[in-house]
Coordinates of all heavy atoms in Angstrom, one line a residue:
M1 N 0.8 -1.2 0.0 CA 0.0 0.0 0.0 C 0.9 1.3 0.0 O 1.8 1.3 0.8 CB -0.9 0.0 1.2 CG -1.9 1.1 1.3 SD -3.0 0.7 2.6 CE -3.7 2.3 2.8
T2 N 0.6 2.2 -0.9 CA 1.4 3.4 -1.0 C 0.6 4.5 -0.3 O -0.6 4.6 -0.3 CB 1.7 3.7 -2.4 OG1 0.5 4.0 -3.1 CG2 2.4 2.6 -3.1
T3 N 1.4 5.5 0.2 CA 0.8 6.6 0.8 C 0.6 7.7 -0.3 O 1.4 7.8 -1.2 CB 1.7 7.2 1.9 OG1 3.0 7.5 1.3 CG2 1.9 6.3 3.0
P4 N -0.5 8.4 -0.2 CA -0.7 9.5 -1.2 C 0.3 10.6 -1.1 O 0.8 10.8 -0.1 CB -2.2 10.0 -0.9 CG -2.4 9.6 0.5 CD -1.5 8.4 0.8
P5 N 0.6 11.2 -2.2 CA 1.6 12.3 -2.2 C 1.1 13.5 -1.4 O -0.1 13.7 -1.3 CB 1.7 12.7 -3.7 CG 0.5 12.3 -4.3 CD 0.0 11.1 -3.6
Y6 N 2.0 14.1 -0.7 CA 1.7 15.3 0.1 C 1.4 16.4 -0.7 O 2.1 16.8 -1.7 CB 2.8 15.6 1.1 CG 2.6 16.8 1.9 CD1 1.7 16.8 2.9 CD2 3.3 18.0 1.6 CE1 1.5 17.9 3.7 CE2 3.0 19.2 2.4 CZ 2.1 19.1 3.4 OH 1.9 20.2 4.2
Q7 N 0.3 17.2 -0.4 CA -0.1 18.3 -1.2 C 0.2 19.5 -0.3 O -0.5 19.7 0.7 CB -1.5 18.3 -1.6 CG -1.9 17.2 -2.5 CD -3.4 17.2 -2.8 OE1 -4.2 17.7 -2.1 NE2 -3.7 16.5 -3.9
P8 N 1.1 20.4 -0.7 CA 1.4 21.6 0.1 C 0.2 22.5 0.2 O -0.5 22.7 -0.8 CB 2.6 22.3 -0.6 CG 3.0 21.3 -1.7 CD 2.0 20.3 -1.8
G9 N -0.1 23.1 1.3 CA -1.2 24.0 1.5 C -2.5 23.3 2.0 O -3.4 23.9 2.4
Y10 N -2.5 21.9 2.0 CA -3.7 21.2 2.4 C -3.2 20.3 3.5 O -2.4 19.5 3.4 CB -4.2 20.4 1.3 CG -4.5 21.2 0.0 CD1 -3.8 21.0 -1.2 CD2 -5.6 22.1 0.0 CE1 -4.1 21.8 -2.3 CE2 -5.9 22.8 -1.1 CZ -5.2 22.6 -2.2 OH -5.5 23.4 -3.4
G11 N -3.9 20.5 4.7 CA -3.6 19.6 5.8 C -4.2 18.3 5.6 O -5.0 18.1 4.6
P12 N -3.9 17.3 6.4 CA -4.5 16.0 6.2 C -6.0 16.1 6.5 O -6.4 16.7 7.5 CB -3.8 15.1 7.2 CG -3.2 16.1 8.2 CD -3.0 17.4 7.5
G13 N -6.8 15.6 5.6 CA -8.2 15.6 5.8 C -8.9 16.8 5.5 O -10.1 17.0 5.7
L14 N -8.2 17.8 4.9 CA -8.9 19.1 4.5 C -9.3 18.9 3.0 O -8.6 18.3 2.2 CB -7.9 20.2 4.6 CG -7.7 20.8 6.1 CD1 -6.7 22.0 6.0 CD2 -9.0 21.2 6.7
S15 N -10.4 19.6 2.7 CA -10.9 19.7 1.4 C -10.0 20.6 0.5 O -9.3 21.4 1.0 CB -12.3 20.2 1.4 OG -12.8 20.4 0.1
D16 N -10.1 20.3 -0.8 CA -9.4 21.2 -1.7 C -10.3 22.4 -2.1 O -9.8 23.3 -2.8 CB -9.0 20.5 -3.0 CG -10.1 19.9 -3.7 OD1 -11.2 19.7 -3.1 OD2 -10.0 19.5 -4.9
K17 N -11.5 22.5 -1.5 CA -12.4 23.6 -1.7 C -12.2 24.6 -0.7 O -11.9 24.3 0.5 CB -13.8 23.1 -1.7 CG -14.1 22.0 -2.6 CD -14.0 22.4 -4.1 CE -14.5 21.3 -5.0 NZ -14.3 21.5 -6.3
S18 N -12.4 25.9 -1.0 CA -12.2 27.0 0.0 C -13.6 27.4 0.6 O -14.6 27.6 -0.2 CB -11.6 28.2 -0.8 OG -11.7 29.4 0.0
K19 N -13.6 27.7 1.9 CA -14.8 28.2 2.5 C -15.2 29.6 2.1 O -16.3 29.9 2.0 CB -14.8 28.0 4.0 CG -14.0 29.0 4.7 CD -14.2 28.9 6.2 CE -13.5 30.0 7.0 NZ -13.6 29.8 8.4
V20 N -14.1 30.4 1.7 CA -14.4 31.7 1.3 C -15.1 31.7 -0.1 O -16.1 32.5 -0.3 CB -13.1 32.6 1.2 CG1 -13.4 33.9 0.6 CG2 -12.5 32.7 2.6
V21 N -14.6 30.9 -1.0 CA -15.3 30.8 -2.3 C -16.7 30.3 -2.1 O -17.7 30.8 -2.8 CB -14.5 30.0 -3.2 CG1 -15.2 29.7 -4.6 CG2 -13.1 30.6 -3.5
A22 N -16.9 29.2 -1.3 CA -18.2 28.7 -1.1 C -19.1 29.7 -0.5 O -20.3 29.8 -0.9 CB -18.1 27.4 -0.3
G23 N -18.7 30.5 0.4 CA -19.5 31.5 1.1 C -19.9 32.5 0.1 O -21.1 33.0 0.1
I24 N -19.0 33.1 -0.6 CA -19.2 34.2 -1.5 C -20.2 33.7 -2.7 O -21.1 34.4 -3.0 CB -17.9 34.7 -2.2 CG1 -17.1 35.3 -1.1 CG2 -18.3 35.7 -3.3 CD1 -17.7 36.5 -0.4
L25 N -20.0 32.5 -3.2 CA -20.9 31.9 -4.2 C -22.3 31.8 -3.6 O -23.3 32.0 -4.2 CB -20.4 30.6 -4.7 CG -19.2 30.6 -5.6 CD1 -18.8 29.2 -5.9 CD2 -19.7 31.3 -6.9
G26 N -22.4 31.3 -2.3 CA -23.7 31.2 -1.6 C -24.4 32.5 -1.5 O -25.6 32.6 -1.7
I27 N -23.6 33.6 -1.2 CA -24.3 34.9 -1.0 C -24.7 35.5 -2.3 O -25.8 36.0 -2.5 CB -23.3 35.8 -0.2 CG1 -23.1 35.4 1.2 CG2 -23.8 37.3 -0.3 CD1 -22.0 36.1 1.9
L28 N -23.8 35.5 -3.3 CA -24.1 36.1 -4.6 C -25.0 35.3 -5.5 O -25.8 35.8 -6.2 CB -22.8 36.5 -5.3 CG -21.8 37.4 -4.6 CD1 -20.6 37.7 -5.4 CD2 -22.5 38.8 -4.3
L29 N -24.8 34.0 -5.5 CA -25.5 33.1 -6.4 C -26.3 32.1 -5.7 O -26.5 30.9 -6.3 CB -24.6 32.5 -7.5 CG -23.7 33.5 -8.3 CD1 -22.7 32.7 -9.1 CD2 -24.7 34.2 -9.3
G30 N -26.7 32.3 -4.5 CA -27.5 31.3 -3.7 C -28.8 30.9 -4.3 O -29.3 29.8 -4.1
T31 N -29.4 31.8 -5.2 CA -30.6 31.4 -5.8 C -30.4 30.2 -6.7 O -31.3 29.4 -6.9 CB -31.0 32.6 -6.8 OG1 -31.2 33.8 -6.0 CG2 -32.3 32.3 -7.5
F32 N -29.2 30.1 -7.3 CA -28.9 28.9 -8.2 C -28.2 27.8 -7.4 O -27.9 26.8 -8.1 CB -28.1 29.4 -9.3 CG -28.6 30.6 -10.1 CD1 -28.1 31.8 -9.9 CD2 -29.8 30.5 -10.8 CE1 -28.6 33.0 -10.5 CE2 -30.4 31.5 -11.5 CZ -29.7 32.8 -11.3
G33 N -28.0 27.9 -6.1 CA -27.3 26.9 -5.4 C -25.9 26.7 -5.7 O -25.3 25.7 -5.5
A34 N -25.2 27.8 -6.2 CA -23.9 27.7 -6.7 C -22.9 27.3 -5.6 O -21.9 26.6 -5.8 CB -23.5 29.1 -7.3
G35 N -23.1 27.8 -4.4 CA -22.1 27.5 -3.3 C -22.2 26.0 -3.0 O -21.2 25.3 -2.7
R36 N -23.3 25.4 -3.0 CA -23.5 24.0 -2.8 C -23.1 23.1 -3.9 O -22.5 22.0 -3.7 CB -25.0 23.6 -2.4 CG -25.4 24.2 -1.1 CD -24.6 23.6 0.0 NE -25.0 24.1 1.4 CZ -24.7 23.5 2.4 NH1 -24.0 22.4 2.4 NH2 -25.2 23.9 3.6
F37 N -23.3 23.6 -5.1 CA -22.7 22.9 -6.3 C -21.2 22.8 -6.2 O -20.5 21.9 -6.5 CB -23.1 23.5 -7.6 CG -24.5 23.1 -8.1 CD1 -25.5 24.0 -8.3 CD2 -24.7 21.8 -8.4 CE1 -26.7 23.6 -8.8 CE2 -26.0 21.4 -8.9 CZ -27.0 22.3 -9.1
Y38 N -20.6 24.0 -5.8 CA -19.1 24.1 -5.7 C -18.6 23.1 -4.6 O -17.5 22.5 -4.9 CB -18.8 25.5 -5.2 CG -17.3 25.7 -4.9 CD1 -16.3 25.7 -5.9 CD2 -16.9 25.9 -3.6 CE1 -15.0 25.9 -5.6 CE2 -15.6 26.1 -3.3 CZ -14.6 26.1 -4.3 OH -13.3 26.3 -4.0
T39 N -19.3 22.9 -3.5 CA -18.8 22.0 -2.5 C -19.1 20.5 -2.8 O -18.7 19.6 -2.1 CB -19.3 22.3 -1.1 OG1 -20.7 22.3 -1.1 CG2 -18.7 23.7 -0.7
G40 N -20.0 20.3 -3.8 CA -20.3 18.9 -4.2 C -21.6 18.4 -3.6 O -22.0 17.3 -3.8
H41 N -22.4 19.3 -2.9 CA -23.7 18.9 -2.4 C -24.7 19.1 -3.4 O -25.5 20.1 -3.3 CB -23.9 19.7 -1.1 CG -23.0 19.4 0.0 ND1 -22.0 20.3 0.3 CD2 -22.9 18.3 0.9 CE1 -21.3 19.8 1.4 NE2 -21.8 18.6 1.7
T42 N -24.8 18.2 -4.4 CA -25.7 18.5 -5.5 C -27.2 18.5 -5.2 O -28.0 19.3 -5.7 CB -25.4 17.4 -6.6 OG1 -24.0 17.4 -6.9 CG2 -26.1 17.7 -7.9
K43 N -27.6 17.5 -4.3 CA -29.0 17.4 -3.9 C -29.5 18.7 -3.3 O -30.6 19.2 -3.5 CB -29.3 16.2 -3.1 CG -29.1 14.9 -3.8 CD -29.3 13.7 -2.8 CE -29.0 12.5 -3.6 NZ -29.2 11.3 -2.8
I44 N -28.7 19.3 -2.3 CA -29.1 20.5 -1.6 C -29.1 21.7 -2.6 O -30.0 22.5 -2.6 CB -28.1 20.8 -0.5 CG1 -28.3 19.6 0.6 CG2 -28.4 22.1 0.2 CD1 -27.3 19.8 1.7
A45 N -28.1 21.6 -3.6 CA -28.1 22.7 -4.6 C -29.3 22.7 -5.5 O -29.9 23.8 -5.7 CB -26.8 22.6 -5.4
V46 N -29.7 21.6 -5.9 CA -30.9 21.5 -6.7 C -32.2 21.9 -5.9 O -33.0 22.6 -6.4 CB -31.0 20.1 -7.3 CG1 -32.4 19.9 -8.0 CG2 -30.0 19.8 -8.3
L47 N -32.2 21.5 -4.7 CA -33.3 21.9 -3.8 C -33.4 23.4 -3.6 O -34.4 24.0 -3.7 CB -33.2 21.2 -2.5 CG -34.4 21.4 -1.5 CD1 -35.7 20.8 -2.2 CD2 -34.1 20.7 -0.2
Q48 N -32.2 24.0 -3.4 CA -32.1 25.5 -3.4 C -32.7 26.2 -4.6 O -33.4 27.1 -4.6 CB -30.8 26.0 -3.1 CG -30.3 25.9 -1.7 CD -28.9 26.4 -1.4 OE1 -28.0 26.4 -2.4 NE2 -28.6 26.9 -0.3
L49 N -32.3 25.6 -5.8 CA -32.7 26.1 -7.0 C -34.3 26.0 -7.2 O -34.9 26.9 -7.6 CB -32.0 25.4 -8.2 CG -32.4 25.8 -9.6 CD1 -32.1 27.3 -9.9 CD2 -31.6 24.9 -10.6
V50 N -34.8 24.8 -6.8 CA -36.2 24.6 -7.0 C -37.0 25.5 -6.1 O -38.0 26.1 -6.4 CB -36.6 23.0 -6.8 CG1 -38.0 22.9 -6.6 CG2 -36.0 22.2 -7.9
V51 N -36.6 25.6 -4.8 CA -37.2 26.5 -3.8 C -37.3 27.9 -4.3 O -38.3 28.6 -4.2 CB -36.6 26.4 -2.4 CG1 -37.1 27.4 -1.5 CG2 -36.9 25.0 -1.8
S52 N -36.2 28.4 -4.9 CA -36.1 29.8 -5.4 C -37.0 30.0 -6.6 O -37.7 31.0 -6.6 CB -34.7 30.1 -5.8 OG -33.8 30.1 -4.7
I53 N -37.2 29.0 -7.4 CA -38.1 29.1 -8.6 C -39.5 29.1 -8.1 O -40.3 29.9 -8.5 CB -37.8 28.0 -9.6 CG1 -36.5 28.2 -10.2 CG2 -38.9 27.9 -10.6 CD1 -36.0 27.1 -11.1
V54 N -39.8 28.1 -7.2 CA -41.2 27.9 -6.7 C -41.7 29.2 -6.0 O -42.9 29.6 -6.1 CB -41.4 26.7 -5.9 CG1 -42.7 26.6 -5.2 CG2 -41.2 25.5 -6.8
T55 N -40.8 29.8 -5.2 CA -41.2 31.0 -4.4 C -40.9 32.3 -5.1 O -41.0 33.3 -4.4 CB -40.4 31.0 -3.1 OG1 -39.1 31.0 -3.3 CG2 -40.8 29.7 -2.3
C56 N -40.7 32.3 -6.4 CA -40.5 33.5 -7.2 C -39.3 34.3 -6.7 O -39.4 35.5 -6.6 CB -41.7 34.3 -7.3 SG -43.1 33.4 -8.1
G57 N -38.3 33.6 -6.3 CA -37.0 34.3 -5.8 C -36.9 34.5 -4.3 O -35.8 34.9 -3.9
V58 N -38.0 34.4 -3.6 CA -37.9 34.6 -2.1 C -37.0 33.5 -1.5 O -36.3 33.8 -0.5 CB -39.3 34.5 -1.5 CG1 -39.3 34.6 0.0 CG2 -40.2 35.6 -2.1
G59 N -36.9 32.3 -2.1 CA -36.1 31.3 -1.6 C -34.6 31.6 -1.7 O -33.8 30.9 -1.2
A60 N -34.2 32.7 -2.4 CA -32.9 33.1 -2.5 C -32.3 33.5 -1.1 O -31.1 33.4 -0.9 CB -32.7 34.3 -3.5
L61 N -33.1 33.8 -0.2 CA -32.7 34.2 1.1 C -32.0 33.0 1.8 O -31.1 33.1 2.6 CB -33.9 34.6 2.0 CG -33.6 35.1 3.4 CD1 -32.7 36.3 3.3 CD2 -34.9 35.4 4.1
W62 N -32.4 31.7 1.4 CA -31.8 30.5 1.9 C -30.3 30.5 1.5 O -29.4 30.2 2.3 CB -32.5 29.3 1.4 CG -31.9 28.0 1.8 CD1 -31.0 27.7 2.7 CD2 -32.3 26.7 1.3 NE1 -30.7 26.4 2.7 CE2 -31.5 25.7 1.9 CE3 -33.2 26.3 0.3 CZ2 -31.6 24.4 1.6 CZ3 -33.3 25.0 0.0 CH2 -32.6 24.0 0.6
G63 N -30.0 30.9 0.3 CA -28.6 30.9 -0.2 C -27.8 31.9 0.5 O -26.7 31.7 0.8
V64 N -28.4 33.1 0.8 CA -27.6 34.1 1.4 C -27.3 33.7 2.9 O -26.1 33.8 3.3 CB -28.5 35.4 1.5 CG1 -27.8 36.5 2.4 CG2 -28.6 36.0 0.0
I65 N -28.3 33.2 3.6 CA -28.0 32.7 4.9 C -27.0 31.5 4.9 O -26.1 31.5 5.8 CB -29.4 32.3 5.6 CG1 -30.2 33.5 5.8 CG2 -29.1 31.6 6.9 CD1 -31.7 33.2 6.3
D66 N -27.2 30.6 4.0 CA -26.3 29.5 3.8 C -24.8 30.0 3.6 O -23.9 29.5 4.2 CB -26.7 28.6 2.7 CG -26.0 27.2 2.7 OD1 -25.7 26.7 3.8 OD2 -25.9 26.7 1.6
G67 N -24.7 31.0 2.7 CA -23.3 31.5 2.5 C -22.7 32.2 3.7 O -21.5 32.0 4.0
I68 N -23.5 32.9 4.4 CA -23.0 33.6 5.7 C -22.6 32.5 6.7 O -21.5 32.6 7.3 CB -24.0 34.5 6.2 CG1 -24.2 35.7 5.3 CG2 -23.6 35.0 7.6 CD1 -25.4 36.6 5.7
M69 N -23.4 31.4 6.8 CA -23.1 30.4 7.8 C -21.8 29.7 7.4 O -21.0 29.3 8.2 CB -24.2 29.4 7.9 CG -25.5 29.9 8.4 SD -25.3 30.5 10.1 CE -25.1 28.9 10.9
I70 N -21.6 29.5 6.1 CA -20.3 28.8 5.7 C -19.2 29.7 6.0 O -18.1 29.2 6.5 CB -20.4 28.5 4.1 CG1 -21.4 27.3 3.9 CG2 -19.0 28.1 3.6 CD1 -21.6 27.0 2.5
L71 N -19.3 31.0 5.7 CA -18.2 31.9 6.0 C -17.9 32.0 7.5 O -16.7 32.0 8.0 CB -18.5 33.3 5.5 CG -18.4 33.5 4.0 CD1 -18.8 34.9 3.7 CD2 -16.9 33.3 3.6
V72 N -18.9 32.0 8.4 CA -18.7 32.1 9.8 C -18.2 30.8 10.4 O -17.3 30.7 11.2 CB -20.0 32.6 10.5 CG1 -19.9 32.6 12.0 CG2 -20.3 34.0 10.0
N73 N -19.0 29.7 10.1 CA -18.7 28.4 10.8 C -17.9 27.5 10.0 O -17.5 26.4 10.5 CB -20.1 27.7 11.1 CG -20.9 28.5 12.1 OD1 -20.3 29.2 13.0 ND2 -22.2 28.5 12.0
G74 N -17.6 27.8 8.8 CA -17.0 26.8 7.9 C -18.1 25.8 7.4 O -19.2 26.0 7.5
G75 N -17.6 24.7 6.8 CA -18.5 23.7 6.2 C -17.7 22.5 5.8 O -16.6 22.4 6.1
T76 N -18.4 21.6 5.1 CA -17.8 20.4 4.6 C -18.0 20.3 3.1 O -19.0 20.8 2.6 CB -18.3 19.2 5.3 OG1 -19.7 19.1 5.1 CG2 -18.0 19.2 6.8
D77 N -17.1 19.5 2.5 CA -17.4 19.2 1.1 C -18.3 17.9 1.0 O -18.7 17.4 2.1 CB -16.1 19.0 0.3 CG -15.2 17.9 0.8 OD1 -15.6 17.1 1.6 OD2 -14.1 17.8 0.2
A78 N -18.5 17.3 -0.2 CA -19.4 16.2 -0.3 C -18.8 14.9 0.4 O -19.5 14.0 0.7 CB -19.6 15.9 -1.8
Q79 N -17.5 14.9 0.6 CA -16.8 13.8 1.2 C -16.8 13.9 2.8 O -16.2 13.1 3.5 CB -15.4 13.5 0.7 CG -15.4 12.9 -0.7 CD -15.7 14.0 -1.8 OE1 -15.3 15.2 -1.6 NE2 -16.3 13.6 -2.8
G80 N -17.3 15.0 3.3 CA -17.3 15.3 4.7 C -16.0 15.9 5.3 O -15.9 16.0 6.5
R81 N -15.1 16.3 4.4 CA -13.9 16.9 4.8 C -14.1 18.4 5.0 O -14.8 19.1 4.3 CB -12.8 16.8 3.8 CG -12.5 15.3 3.5 CD -11.5 15.2 2.4 NE -12.1 15.7 1.1 CZ -11.5 15.8 0.0 NH1 -10.3 15.3 -0.2 NH2 -12.2 16.3 -1.1
P82 N -13.6 19.0 6.1 CA -13.8 20.4 6.3 C -13.1 21.3 5.2 O -12.1 20.9 4.6 CB -13.0 20.7 7.6 CG -12.5 19.4 8.1 CD -12.8 18.4 7.1
L83 N -13.9 22.4 4.9 CA -13.4 23.3 3.9 C -12.1 24.0 4.4 O -12.0 24.4 5.6 CB -14.4 24.3 3.5 CG -15.7 23.7 2.9 CD1 -16.7 24.9 2.7 CD2 -15.4 23.0 1.6
R84 N -11.2 24.3 3.5 CA -10.0 25.0 4.0 C -10.3 26.5 4.0 O -11.2 27.0 3.4 CB -8.8 24.7 3.0 CG -9.0 25.2 1.6 CD -7.8 24.8 0.8 NE -8.1 25.1 -0.6 CZ -7.9 26.2 -1.3 NH1 -7.5 27.3 -0.6 NH2 -8.2 26.3 -2.5
D85 N -9.4 27.2 4.8 CA -9.6 28.7 4.9 C -9.2 29.4 3.7 O -8.5 29.2 2.9 CB -8.8 29.2 6.1 CG -9.5 28.8 7.4 OD1 -10.7 28.6 7.4 OD2 -8.8 28.6 8.4

């Protein structure tokens, strides 16, 4: 069994996705679920998109709040690894 190569800038068990990028995408493009698509959470992203369409855009508030929560508390990618700073 071989060990995976070390990637500088990424600690063990950290995602290659950035929480800043995910948060900004969530705030600016939360209507389309862009922050969740970025982190690999496809089902939640599609749900955000559908809720935004069904509520005529009011559901975009979900994306804004989601983006702020990712920036403040961090988040995880689709594999459960914490997002890097």
Side-chain angles (χ1 to χ4, degrees):
M1 184 167 161
T2 62
T3 58
Y6 176 72
Q7 296 177 342
Y10 305 110
L14 284 180
S15 175
D16 59 341
K17 307 291 184 185
S18 169
K19 78 174 184 179
V20 173
V21 173
I24 298 297
L25 284 172
I27 291 170
L28 297 179
L29 299 172
T31 303
F32 307 108
R36 290 299 183 159
F37 277 121
Y38 173 72
T39 59
H41 296 102
T42 308
K43 291 179 184 178
I44 296 173
V46 170
L47 188 60
Q48 281 181 329
L49 179 60
V50 169
V51 167
S52 294
I53 290 171
V54 169
T55 62
C56 299
V58 177
L61 186 59
W62 178 10
V64 172
I65 293 170
D66 194 32
I68 292 170
M69 294 298 290
I70 289 174
L71 285 173
V72 172
N73 296 329
T76 60
D77 65 4
Q79 288 78 33
R81 299 175 299 182
L83 299 175
R84 64 181 168 85
D85 288 333

